[in-house]
Amino acid sequence: MSTKKNAFAIFLADYRNEEINKGNKPSSFQQLSIKLAPIWSSMTDEEKNKYKVLAGKNKEKPLAQISDQQKNSCDFLSMQKYLTKMFEFILNDKELLEKKFILLHINCHTHNGEQYYFPAEIAALEFNLINGVSRTYHKIIGISKIYPRGFAGGMREYSDLFHQICCWHEHDDDYQDILLEFLTFLKDGNINQTDFQEGTLDLPYLFTAETEIGMDIMKAKSSLERFYSTVFPKDGAENYKSVFKIGSINQLLLEIKKKMKLNLDPQNIRPGMSVHDILESDMFGRGLGCMYHEMKDIAFKCSKARVIQWMSNICKHISTYTSLQIVPGRHIAAQLKDGSRMVMQK
């Protein structure tokens, strides 16, 4: 992807966030691209520079970083093949409806120009189509003790734009406890310490959005790998790079539709409606976010709100073309009696 295109995509995301902040229903990226292309063309280089910096394309990447990107590409292709194969072994719709998937969203402490990613916020949600949400995990993580000197300016810009979790604020930074808590959630039980020592930790596959900016899967995986290596610095790269298996939620939805033969139904084809648009529709998040983001009135930026909304949008989309029954509080948010908040039951 070229520098201009990547910076332009971040410019679109920034504008889309402004629409949401004003209480407007956000436009799709395709609509925004058409609308904002003339504005982008008329902007000065100085005005475009902050988006170029965020895109991380304003300087040459070291060979090691290029190698990491190639490795992530290989991981992504392997994940696509795995997902296709996994669905081949699902025998019928009943088995598909009961199969559990884990969705993941990570907001990063990030300096794009240096390819530095560390989790600022982790949210995960386990669900199946028939019953909706079964378990959730959420944590905001501090980096004030270890943030890399010299990156502060770029990290602050990224934080202000995407999640507003400041790298200087004090949040929980007991990394070992946080990592073990997260891994225990993923395993739905206790973690055996020998799994770390022997490199036998076998985690379930996780799914996150494959955005039009195209970086979320790589950032999620890279940030978790850095988190793991911070806790276990003596482990070799081959250990921590094989721990987390992260794939595209976009492809997950497509595979579900393919298995249920929904892609063959003419009424299921909506002009201008991409998988990305389905996942991101009604992404307001008010009442679904964590207390930190709710207090700032930016719940739509919260990782917790994102995974809940992704699950809800998947279930609602599938229910449109099947007999799947949507249950408030399980598949979608249920409003409290006083109307003050939207909550998900667990």
Side-chain angles (χ1 to χ4, degrees), residues 154-185:
M155 293 176 73
R156 185 179 65 249
E157 285 186 12
Y158 186 91
S159 168
D160 290 346
L161 183 59
F162 287 101
H163 53 70
Q164 296 189 22
I165 301 172
C166 182
C167 58
W168 291 301
H169 290 174
E170 291 187 5
H171 297 289
D172 194 349
D173 57 6
D174 189 335
Y175 299 139
Q176 180 167 322
D177 281 355
I178 296 171
L179 179 62
L180 291 177
E181 180 185 64
F182 177 55
L183 296 179
T184 299
F185 167 83

PDB file of all heavy atoms in Angstrom, residues 154-185:
ATOM      1  N   GLY A 154       4.679  10.532  19.025  1.00  0.00           N
ATOM      2  CA  GLY A 154       3.913   9.722  18.084  1.00  0.00           C
ATOM      3  C   GLY A 154       2.880   8.862  18.770  1.00  0.00           C
ATOM      4  O   GLY A 154       1.767   8.675  18.268  1.00  0.00           O
ATOM      5  N   MET A 155       3.235   8.336  19.945  1.00  0.00           N
ATOM      6  CA  MET A 155       2.295   7.503  20.688  1.00  0.00           C
ATOM      7  C   MET A 155       1.119   8.328  21.192  1.00  0.00           C
ATOM      8  O   MET A 155      -0.021   7.867  21.207  1.00  0.00           O
ATOM      9  CB  MET A 155       3.011   6.805  21.845  1.00  0.00           C
ATOM     10  CG  MET A 155       4.034   5.771  21.382  1.00  0.00           C
ATOM     11  SD  MET A 155       4.979   5.022  22.724  1.00  0.00           S
ATOM     12  CE  MET A 155       3.736   3.956  23.452  1.00  0.00           C
ATOM     13  N   ARG A 156       1.395   9.557  21.605  1.00  0.00           N
ATOM     14  CA  ARG A 156       0.317  10.429  22.078  1.00  0.00           C
ATOM     15  C   ARG A 156      -0.641  10.765  20.936  1.00  0.00           C
ATOM     16  O   ARG A 156      -1.864  10.774  21.113  1.00  0.00           O
ATOM     17  CB  ARG A 156       0.889  11.709  22.680  1.00  0.00           C
ATOM     18  CG  ARG A 156      -0.191  12.614  23.296  1.00  0.00           C
ATOM     19  CD  ARG A 156       0.388  13.878  23.903  1.00  0.00           C
ATOM     20  NE  ARG A 156       0.992  14.731  22.891  1.00  0.00           N
ATOM     21  CZ  ARG A 156       2.297  14.953  22.787  1.00  0.00           C
ATOM     22  NH1 ARG A 156       3.132  14.366  23.627  1.00  0.00           N
ATOM     23  NH2 ARG A 156       2.778  15.744  21.848  1.00  0.00           N
ATOM     24  N   GLU A 157      -0.109  11.045  19.754  1.00  0.00           N
ATOM     25  CA  GLU A 157      -0.959  11.355  18.603  1.00  0.00           C
ATOM     26  C   GLU A 157      -1.868  10.175  18.268  1.00  0.00           C
ATOM     27  O   GLU A 157      -3.056  10.350  17.991  1.00  0.00           O
ATOM     28  CB  GLU A 157      -0.091  11.704  17.387  1.00  0.00           C
ATOM     29  CG  GLU A 157       0.534  13.081  17.450  1.00  0.00           C
ATOM     30  CD  GLU A 157       1.262  13.425  16.167  1.00  0.00           C
ATOM     31  OE1 GLU A 157       1.081  12.692  15.163  1.00  0.00           O
ATOM     32  OE2 GLU A 157       2.013  14.409  16.152  1.00  0.00           O
ATOM     33  N   TYR A 158      -1.293   8.985  18.286  1.00  0.00           N
ATOM     34  CA  TYR A 158      -2.084   7.795  17.977  1.00  0.00           C
ATOM     35  C   TYR A 158      -3.169   7.588  19.032  1.00  0.00           C
ATOM     36  O   TYR A 158      -4.325   7.300  18.709  1.00  0.00           O
ATOM     37  CB  TYR A 158      -1.176   6.568  17.913  1.00  0.00           C
ATOM     38  CG  TYR A 158      -1.886   5.316  17.454  1.00  0.00           C
ATOM     39  CD1 TYR A 158      -1.927   4.969  16.105  1.00  0.00           C
ATOM     40  CD2 TYR A 158      -2.533   4.483  18.365  1.00  0.00           C
ATOM     41  CE1 TYR A 158      -2.588   3.828  15.677  1.00  0.00           C
ATOM     42  CE2 TYR A 158      -3.198   3.343  17.949  1.00  0.00           C
ATOM     43  CZ  TYR A 158      -3.220   3.021  16.604  1.00  0.00           C
ATOM     44  OH  TYR A 158      -3.884   1.893  16.196  1.00  0.00           O
ATOM     45  N   SER A 159      -2.798   7.748  20.301  1.00  0.00           N
ATOM     46  CA  SER A 159      -3.757   7.588  21.392  1.00  0.00           C
ATOM     47  C   SER A 159      -4.908   8.577  21.258  1.00  0.00           C
ATOM     48  O   SER A 159      -6.081   8.209  21.378  1.00  0.00           O
ATOM     49  CB  SER A 159      -3.053   7.780  22.739  1.00  0.00           C
ATOM     50  OG  SER A 159      -3.990   7.897  23.785  1.00  0.00           O
ATOM     51  N   ASP A 160      -4.591   9.842  21.009  1.00  0.00           N
ATOM     52  CA  ASP A 160      -5.626  10.870  20.890  1.00  0.00           C
ATOM     53  C   ASP A 160      -6.598  10.555  19.758  1.00  0.00           C
ATOM     54  O   ASP A 160      -7.796  10.815  19.861  1.00  0.00           O
ATOM     55  CB  ASP A 160      -4.985  12.239  20.644  1.00  0.00           C
ATOM     56  CG  ASP A 160      -4.257  12.774  21.872  1.00  0.00           C
ATOM     57  OD1 ASP A 160      -4.471  12.221  22.970  1.00  0.00           O
ATOM     58  OD2 ASP A 160      -3.463  13.722  21.721  1.00  0.00           O
ATOM     59  N   LEU A 161      -6.079   9.974  18.700  1.00  0.00           N
ATOM     60  CA  LEU A 161      -6.904   9.714  17.524  1.00  0.00           C
ATOM     61  C   LEU A 161      -7.762   8.468  17.680  1.00  0.00           C
ATOM     62  O   LEU A 161      -8.926   8.448  17.278  1.00  0.00           O
ATOM     63  CB  LEU A 161      -6.009   9.572  16.286  1.00  0.00           C
ATOM     64  CG  LEU A 161      -6.710   9.358  14.939  1.00  0.00           C
ATOM     65  CD1 LEU A 161      -7.661  10.507  14.630  1.00  0.00           C
ATOM     66  CD2 LEU A 161      -5.680   9.214  13.821  1.00  0.00           C
ATOM     67  N   PHE A 162      -7.220   7.414  18.314  1.00  0.00           N
ATOM     68  CA  PHE A 162      -7.889   6.122  18.264  1.00  0.00           C
ATOM     69  C   PHE A 162      -8.522   5.639  19.571  1.00  0.00           C
ATOM     70  O   PHE A 162      -9.546   4.975  19.537  1.00  0.00           O
ATOM     71  CB  PHE A 162      -6.925   5.049  17.747  1.00  0.00           C
ATOM     72  CG  PHE A 162      -6.644   5.171  16.278  1.00  0.00           C
ATOM     73  CD1 PHE A 162      -5.472   5.751  15.829  1.00  0.00           C
ATOM     74  CD2 PHE A 162      -7.566   4.736  15.347  1.00  0.00           C
ATOM     75  CE1 PHE A 162      -5.212   5.881  14.473  1.00  0.00           C
ATOM     76  CE2 PHE A 162      -7.321   4.864  13.986  1.00  0.00           C
ATOM     77  CZ  PHE A 162      -6.139   5.439  13.549  1.00  0.00           C
ATOM     78  N   HIS A 163      -7.932   5.910  20.734  1.00  0.00           N
ATOM     79  CA  HIS A 163      -8.537   5.328  21.943  1.00  0.00           C
ATOM     80  C   HIS A 163      -8.426   6.192  23.194  1.00  0.00           C
ATOM     81  O   HIS A 163      -9.096   5.930  24.179  1.00  0.00           O
ATOM     82  CB  HIS A 163      -7.938   3.951  22.237  1.00  0.00           C
ATOM     83  CG  HIS A 163      -6.439   3.929  22.314  1.00  0.00           C
ATOM     84  ND1 HIS A 163      -5.731   4.511  23.347  1.00  0.00           N
ATOM     85  CD2 HIS A 163      -5.515   3.375  21.487  1.00  0.00           C
ATOM     86  CE1 HIS A 163      -4.437   4.317  23.155  1.00  0.00           C
ATOM     87  NE2 HIS A 163      -4.275   3.638  22.031  1.00  0.00           N
ATOM     88  N   GLN A 164      -7.560   7.190  23.197  1.00  0.00           N
ATOM     89  CA  GLN A 164      -7.399   8.139  24.301  1.00  0.00           C
ATOM     90  C   GLN A 164      -6.981   7.478  25.618  1.00  0.00           C
ATOM     91  O   GLN A 164      -7.316   7.963  26.702  1.00  0.00           O
ATOM     92  CB  GLN A 164      -8.675   8.972  24.479  1.00  0.00           C
ATOM     93  CG  GLN A 164      -8.965   9.847  23.266  1.00  0.00           C
ATOM     94  CD  GLN A 164     -10.095  10.829  23.484  1.00  0.00           C
ATOM     95  OE1 GLN A 164     -10.419  11.170  24.616  1.00  0.00           O
ATOM     96  NE2 GLN A 164     -10.711  11.284  22.400  1.00  0.00           N
ATOM     97  N   ILE A 165      -6.264   6.369  25.532  1.00  0.00           N
ATOM     98  CA  ILE A 165      -5.635   5.776  26.718  1.00  0.00           C
ATOM     99  C   ILE A 165      -4.200   6.286  26.736  1.00  0.00           C
ATOM    100  O   ILE A 165      -3.347   5.798  25.992  1.00  0.00           O
ATOM    101  CB  ILE A 165      -5.666   4.240  26.672  1.00  0.00           C
ATOM    102  CG1 ILE A 165      -7.107   3.741  26.574  1.00  0.00           C
ATOM    103  CG2 ILE A 165      -4.982   3.643  27.906  1.00  0.00           C
ATOM    104  CD1 ILE A 165      -7.228   2.243  26.339  1.00  0.00           C
ATOM    105  N   CYS A 166      -3.943   7.274  27.547  1.00  0.00           N
ATOM    106  CA  CYS A 166      -2.654   7.962  27.523  1.00  0.00           C
ATOM    107  C   CYS A 166      -1.545   7.067  28.075  1.00  0.00           C
ATOM    108  O   CYS A 166      -1.727   6.385  29.086  1.00  0.00           O
ATOM    109  CB  CYS A 166      -2.739   9.252  28.332  1.00  0.00           C
ATOM    110  SG  CYS A 166      -1.202  10.211  28.326  1.00  0.00           S
ATOM    111  N   CYS A 167      -0.392   7.082  27.407  1.00  0.00           N
ATOM    112  CA  CYS A 167       0.719   6.230  27.834  1.00  0.00           C
ATOM    113  C   CYS A 167       1.339   6.706  29.141  1.00  0.00           C
ATOM    114  O   CYS A 167       2.099   5.970  29.767  1.00  0.00           O
ATOM    115  CB  CYS A 167       1.783   6.148  26.734  1.00  0.00           C
ATOM    116  SG  CYS A 167       2.474   7.735  26.232  1.00  0.00           S
ATOM    117  N   TRP A 168       1.039   7.953  29.567  1.00  0.00           N
ATOM    118  CA  TRP A 168       1.610   8.458  30.817  1.00  0.00           C
ATOM    119  C   TRP A 168       0.694   8.227  32.015  1.00  0.00           C
ATOM    120  O   TRP A 168       1.110   8.378  33.146  1.00  0.00           O
ATOM    121  CB  TRP A 168       1.908   9.954  30.699  1.00  0.00           C
ATOM    122  CG  TRP A 168       3.027  10.238  29.756  1.00  0.00           C
ATOM    123  CD1 TRP A 168       4.307   9.788  29.845  1.00  0.00           C
ATOM    124  CD2 TRP A 168       2.961  11.012  28.565  1.00  0.00           C
ATOM    125  NE1 TRP A 168       5.055  10.233  28.791  1.00  0.00           N
ATOM    126  CE2 TRP A 168       4.251  10.996  27.982  1.00  0.00           C
ATOM    127  CE3 TRP A 168       1.956  11.723  27.931  1.00  0.00           C
ATOM    128  CZ2 TRP A 168       4.548  11.661  26.803  1.00  0.00           C
ATOM    129  CZ3 TRP A 168       2.252  12.390  26.759  1.00  0.00           C
ATOM    130  CH2 TRP A 168       3.531  12.352  26.206  1.00  0.00           C
ATOM    131  N   HIS A 169      -0.560   7.903  31.765  1.00  0.00           N
ATOM    132  CA  HIS A 169      -1.481   7.690  32.879  1.00  0.00           C
ATOM    133  C   HIS A 169      -1.208   6.344  33.548  1.00  0.00           C
ATOM    134  O   HIS A 169      -0.758   5.396  32.910  1.00  0.00           O
ATOM    135  CB  HIS A 169      -2.929   7.739  32.386  1.00  0.00           C
ATOM    136  CG  HIS A 169      -3.360   9.112  31.983  1.00  0.00           C
ATOM    137  ND1 HIS A 169      -4.576   9.368  31.409  1.00  0.00           N
ATOM    138  CD2 HIS A 169      -2.724  10.313  32.066  1.00  0.00           C
ATOM    139  CE1 HIS A 169      -4.678  10.666  31.151  1.00  0.00           C
ATOM    140  NE2 HIS A 169      -3.572  11.249  31.539  1.00  0.00           N
ATOM    141  N   GLU A 170      -1.505   6.287  34.819  1.00  0.00           N
ATOM    142  CA  GLU A 170      -1.256   5.057  35.564  1.00  0.00           C
ATOM    143  C   GLU A 170      -2.438   4.098  35.422  1.00  0.00           C
ATOM    144  O   GLU A 170      -3.545   4.396  35.844  1.00  0.00           O
ATOM    145  CB  GLU A 170      -1.010   5.373  37.042  1.00  0.00           C
ATOM    146  CG  GLU A 170       0.303   6.098  37.294  1.00  0.00           C
ATOM    147  CD  GLU A 170       0.604   6.242  38.777  1.00  0.00           C
ATOM    148  OE1 GLU A 170      -0.167   5.697  39.583  1.00  0.00           O
ATOM    149  OE2 GLU A 170       1.600   6.899  39.110  1.00  0.00           O
ATOM    150  N   HIS A 171      -2.169   2.979  34.793  1.00  0.00           N
ATOM    151  CA  HIS A 171      -3.123   1.876  34.717  1.00  0.00           C
ATOM    152  C   HIS A 171      -2.400   0.628  35.209  1.00  0.00           C
ATOM    153  O   HIS A 171      -1.188   0.638  35.427  1.00  0.00           O
ATOM    154  CB  HIS A 171      -3.620   1.686  33.277  1.00  0.00           C
ATOM    155  CG  HIS A 171      -4.372   2.862  32.731  1.00  0.00           C
ATOM    156  ND1 HIS A 171      -5.630   3.211  33.162  1.00  0.00           N
ATOM    157  CD2 HIS A 171      -4.031   3.781  31.789  1.00  0.00           C
ATOM    158  CE1 HIS A 171      -6.040   4.287  32.514  1.00  0.00           C
ATOM    159  NE2 HIS A 171      -5.093   4.656  31.674  1.00  0.00           N
ATOM    160  N   ASP A 172      -3.145  -0.426  35.376  1.00  0.00           N
ATOM    161  CA  ASP A 172      -2.569  -1.671  35.878  1.00  0.00           C
ATOM    162  C   ASP A 172      -1.382  -2.092  35.005  1.00  0.00           C
ATOM    163  O   ASP A 172      -1.497  -2.181  33.779  1.00  0.00           O
ATOM    164  CB  ASP A 172      -3.644  -2.757  35.866  1.00  0.00           C
ATOM    165  CG  ASP A 172      -3.239  -3.986  36.670  1.00  0.00           C
ATOM    166  OD1 ASP A 172      -2.062  -4.078  37.063  1.00  0.00           O
ATOM    167  OD2 ASP A 172      -4.106  -4.848  36.890  1.00  0.00           O
ATOM    168  N   ASP A 173      -0.231  -2.322  35.628  1.00  0.00           N
ATOM    169  CA  ASP A 173       0.956  -2.715  34.864  1.00  0.00           C
ATOM    170  C   ASP A 173       1.655  -3.931  35.468  1.00  0.00           C
ATOM    171  O   ASP A 173       2.864  -4.107  35.300  1.00  0.00           O
ATOM    172  CB  ASP A 173       1.938  -1.550  34.723  1.00  0.00           C
ATOM    173  CG  ASP A 173       2.370  -0.977  36.069  1.00  0.00           C
ATOM    174  OD1 ASP A 173       2.002  -1.562  37.113  1.00  0.00           O
ATOM    175  OD2 ASP A 173       3.066   0.059  36.083  1.00  0.00           O
ATOM    176  N   ASP A 174       0.901  -4.760  36.189  1.00  0.00           N
ATOM    177  CA  ASP A 174       1.445  -6.038  36.648  1.00  0.00           C
ATOM    178  C   ASP A 174       1.298  -7.021  35.489  1.00  0.00           C
ATOM    179  O   ASP A 174       0.343  -7.799  35.408  1.00  0.00           O
ATOM    180  CB  ASP A 174       0.683  -6.531  37.884  1.00  0.00           C
ATOM    181  CG  ASP A 174       1.357  -7.735  38.536  1.00  0.00           C
ATOM    182  OD1 ASP A 174       2.079  -8.460  37.822  1.00  0.00           O
ATOM    183  OD2 ASP A 174       1.159  -7.957  39.745  1.00  0.00           O
ATOM    184  N   TYR A 175       2.251  -6.970  34.570  1.00  0.00           N
ATOM    185  CA  TYR A 175       2.104  -7.649  33.290  1.00  0.00           C
ATOM    186  C   TYR A 175       1.961  -9.164  33.425  1.00  0.00           C
ATOM    187  O   TYR A 175       1.212  -9.790  32.672  1.00  0.00           O
ATOM    188  CB  TYR A 175       3.284  -7.306  32.381  1.00  0.00           C
ATOM    189  CG  TYR A 175       3.399  -5.834  32.080  1.00  0.00           C
ATOM    190  CD1 TYR A 175       4.633  -5.193  32.052  1.00  0.00           C
ATOM    191  CD2 TYR A 175       2.260  -5.063  31.840  1.00  0.00           C
ATOM    192  CE1 TYR A 175       4.737  -3.836  31.785  1.00  0.00           C
ATOM    193  CE2 TYR A 175       2.353  -3.712  31.575  1.00  0.00           C
ATOM    194  CZ  TYR A 175       3.595  -3.099  31.550  1.00  0.00           C
ATOM    195  OH  TYR A 175       3.686  -1.757  31.295  1.00  0.00           O
ATOM    196  N   GLN A 176       2.668  -9.751  34.365  1.00  0.00           N
ATOM    197  CA  GLN A 176       2.576 -11.203  34.502  1.00  0.00           C
ATOM    198  C   GLN A 176       1.172 -11.624  34.920  1.00  0.00           C
ATOM    199  O   GLN A 176       0.596 -12.553  34.344  1.00  0.00           O
ATOM    200  CB  GLN A 176       3.599 -11.724  35.515  1.00  0.00           C
ATOM    201  CG  GLN A 176       3.536 -13.245  35.685  1.00  0.00           C
ATOM    202  CD  GLN A 176       4.734 -13.807  36.430  1.00  0.00           C
ATOM    203  OE1 GLN A 176       5.853 -13.352  36.250  1.00  0.00           O
ATOM    204  NE2 GLN A 176       4.499 -14.801  37.267  1.00  0.00           N
ATOM    205  N   ASP A 177       0.609 -10.925  35.909  1.00  0.00           N
ATOM    206  CA  ASP A 177      -0.746 -11.261  36.355  1.00  0.00           C
ATOM    207  C   ASP A 177      -1.765 -11.032  35.241  1.00  0.00           C
ATOM    208  O   ASP A 177      -2.690 -11.836  35.048  1.00  0.00           O
ATOM    209  CB  ASP A 177      -1.128 -10.424  37.578  1.00  0.00           C
ATOM    210  CG  ASP A 177      -0.513 -10.956  38.866  1.00  0.00           C
ATOM    211  OD1 ASP A 177       0.136 -12.026  38.807  1.00  0.00           O
ATOM    212  OD2 ASP A 177      -0.667 -10.305  39.910  1.00  0.00           O
ATOM    213  N   ILE A 178      -1.603  -9.926  34.509  1.00  0.00           N
ATOM    214  CA  ILE A 178      -2.552  -9.618  33.437  1.00  0.00           C
ATOM    215  C   ILE A 178      -2.478 -10.678  32.339  1.00  0.00           C
ATOM    216  O   ILE A 178      -3.502 -11.164  31.854  1.00  0.00           O
ATOM    217  CB  ILE A 178      -2.270  -8.223  32.842  1.00  0.00           C
ATOM    218  CG1 ILE A 178      -2.501  -7.138  33.902  1.00  0.00           C
ATOM    219  CG2 ILE A 178      -3.162  -7.963  31.629  1.00  0.00           C
ATOM    220  CD1 ILE A 178      -2.036  -5.759  33.473  1.00  0.00           C
ATOM    221  N   LEU A 179      -1.255 -11.040  31.950  1.00  0.00           N
ATOM    222  CA  LEU A 179      -1.095 -12.037  30.891  1.00  0.00           C
ATOM    223  C   LEU A 179      -1.680 -13.384  31.311  1.00  0.00           C
ATOM    224  O   LEU A 179      -2.406 -14.024  30.539  1.00  0.00           O
ATOM    225  CB  LEU A 179       0.380 -12.199  30.528  1.00  0.00           C
ATOM    226  CG  LEU A 179       0.678 -13.234  29.437  1.00  0.00           C
ATOM    227  CD1 LEU A 179       0.015 -12.848  28.118  1.00  0.00           C
ATOM    228  CD2 LEU A 179       2.184 -13.405  29.243  1.00  0.00           C
ATOM    229  N   LEU A 180      -1.389 -13.808  32.533  1.00  0.00           N
ATOM    230  CA  LEU A 180      -1.915 -15.089  33.000  1.00  0.00           C
ATOM    231  C   LEU A 180      -3.440 -15.061  33.085  1.00  0.00           C
ATOM    232  O   LEU A 180      -4.113 -16.049  32.772  1.00  0.00           O
ATOM    233  CB  LEU A 180      -1.310 -15.440  34.362  1.00  0.00           C
ATOM    234  CG  LEU A 180       0.182 -15.781  34.360  1.00  0.00           C
ATOM    235  CD1 LEU A 180       0.682 -16.035  35.775  1.00  0.00           C
ATOM    236  CD2 LEU A 180       0.468 -16.996  33.477  1.00  0.00           C
ATOM    237  N   GLU A 181      -3.983 -13.922  33.494  1.00  0.00           N
ATOM    238  CA  GLU A 181      -5.439 -13.771  33.560  1.00  0.00           C
ATOM    239  C   GLU A 181      -6.057 -13.881  32.166  1.00  0.00           C
ATOM    240  O   GLU A 181      -7.074 -14.559  31.963  1.00  0.00           O
ATOM    241  CB  GLU A 181      -5.771 -12.413  34.184  1.00  0.00           C
ATOM    242  CG  GLU A 181      -7.254 -12.113  34.309  1.00  0.00           C
ATOM    243  CD  GLU A 181      -7.501 -10.710  34.828  1.00  0.00           C
ATOM    244  OE1 GLU A 181      -7.134  -9.734  34.133  1.00  0.00           O
ATOM    245  OE2 GLU A 181      -8.059 -10.581  35.932  1.00  0.00           O
ATOM    246  N   PHE A 182      -5.431 -13.232  31.198  1.00  0.00           N
ATOM    247  CA  PHE A 182      -5.928 -13.262  29.818  1.00  0.00           C
ATOM    248  C   PHE A 182      -5.819 -14.668  29.225  1.00  0.00           C
ATOM    249  O   PHE A 182      -6.763 -15.176  28.606  1.00  0.00           O
ATOM    250  CB  PHE A 182      -5.138 -12.261  28.969  1.00  0.00           C
ATOM    251  CG  PHE A 182      -5.508 -12.256  27.511  1.00  0.00           C
ATOM    252  CD1 PHE A 182      -6.817 -12.072  27.102  1.00  0.00           C
ATOM    253  CD2 PHE A 182      -4.528 -12.439  26.534  1.00  0.00           C
ATOM    254  CE1 PHE A 182      -7.156 -12.063  25.751  1.00  0.00           C
ATOM    255  CE2 PHE A 182      -4.857 -12.435  25.194  1.00  0.00           C
ATOM    256  CZ  PHE A 182      -6.170 -12.247  24.796  1.00  0.00           C
ATOM    257  N   LEU A 183      -4.676 -15.301  29.429  1.00  0.00           N
ATOM    258  CA  LEU A 183      -4.488 -16.648  28.892  1.00  0.00           C
ATOM    259  C   LEU A 183      -5.429 -17.648  29.558  1.00  0.00           C
ATOM    260  O   LEU A 183      -5.926 -18.575  28.907  1.00  0.00           O
ATOM    261  CB  LEU A 183      -3.035 -17.088  29.075  1.00  0.00           C
ATOM    262  CG  LEU A 183      -1.979 -16.271  28.323  1.00  0.00           C
ATOM    263  CD1 LEU A 183      -0.584 -16.808  28.613  1.00  0.00           C
ATOM    264  CD2 LEU A 183      -2.247 -16.258  26.826  1.00  0.00           C
ATOM    265  N   THR A 184      -5.685 -17.447  30.848  1.00  0.00           N
ATOM    266  CA  THR A 184      -6.629 -18.317  31.552  1.00  0.00           C
ATOM    267  C   THR A 184      -8.027 -18.172  30.968  1.00  0.00           C
ATOM    268  O   THR A 184      -8.760 -19.153  30.814  1.00  0.00           O
ATOM    269  CB  THR A 184      -6.649 -17.988  33.056  1.00  0.00           C
ATOM    270  OG1 THR A 184      -5.346 -18.211  33.603  1.00  0.00           O
ATOM    271  CG2 THR A 184      -7.645 -18.863  33.799  1.00  0.00           C
ATOM    272  N   PHE A 185      -8.394 -16.933  30.623  1.00  0.00           N
ATOM    273  CA  PHE A 185      -9.684 -16.724  29.955  1.00  0.00           C
ATOM    274  C   PHE A 185      -9.728 -17.477  28.629  1.00  0.00           C
ATOM    275  O   PHE A 185     -10.712 -18.169  28.318  1.00  0.00           O
ATOM    276  CB  PHE A 185      -9.925 -15.232  29.710  1.00  0.00           C
ATOM    277  CG  PHE A 185     -11.069 -14.957  28.766  1.00  0.00           C
ATOM    278  CD1 PHE A 185     -12.376 -14.952  29.227  1.00  0.00           C
ATOM    279  CD2 PHE A 185     -10.839 -14.743  27.410  1.00  0.00           C
ATOM    280  CE1 PHE A 185     -13.438 -14.728  28.357  1.00  0.00           C
ATOM    281  CE2 PHE A 185     -11.894 -14.519  26.533  1.00  0.00           C
ATOM    282  CZ  PHE A 185     -13.194 -14.512  27.009  1.00  0.00           C
TER     283      PHE A 185
END
